[in-house]
Amino acid sequence: LAREPKVLFLDEFTSALDSVNKNSILKVIQKISKDVLVISITHDPDVIIAADIELIIANKNLSLNEK
């Protein structure tokens, strides 16, 4: 990343990728997440599995899963 942000917001960032490219991007995101707060909005189970904390919004309820 060119500007070294403190927070990175990603919205369905893997939705148009094949599995090879998706896995490459996930590795990069995991690497930079050590220095950057990454907030991802996704339906992709692979992205959810990689998260440290999962917030689920369903039926007007919010739940938190910490890993």
Side-chain angles (χ1 to χ4, degrees), residues 26-55:
L26 285 174
K27 287 178 185 176
V28 171
I29 296 299
Q30 286 179 326
K31 184 176 179 180
I32 66 169
S33 68
K34 296 174 184 169
D35 300 317
V36 177
L37 172 62
V38 179
I39 299 173
S40 176
I41 299 168
T42 188
H43 294 92
D44 186 334
D46 294 330
V47 175
I48 295 169
I49 289 169
D52 293 327
I53 298 172
E54 178 183 5
L55 291 172

Side-chain angles (χ1 to χ4, degrees), residues 1 5 8 10 12 14 16 22 27 33 37 40-41 44-45 51 55 61-63 65 67:
L1 298 172
L8 181 61
L10 303 171
E12 295 290 354
T14 61
K22 177 173 73 171
K27 287 178 185 176
S33 68
L37 172 62
S40 176
I41 299 168
D44 186 334
L55 291 172
N61 294 310
L62 178 66
S63 61
N65 293 330
K67 299 176 184 177

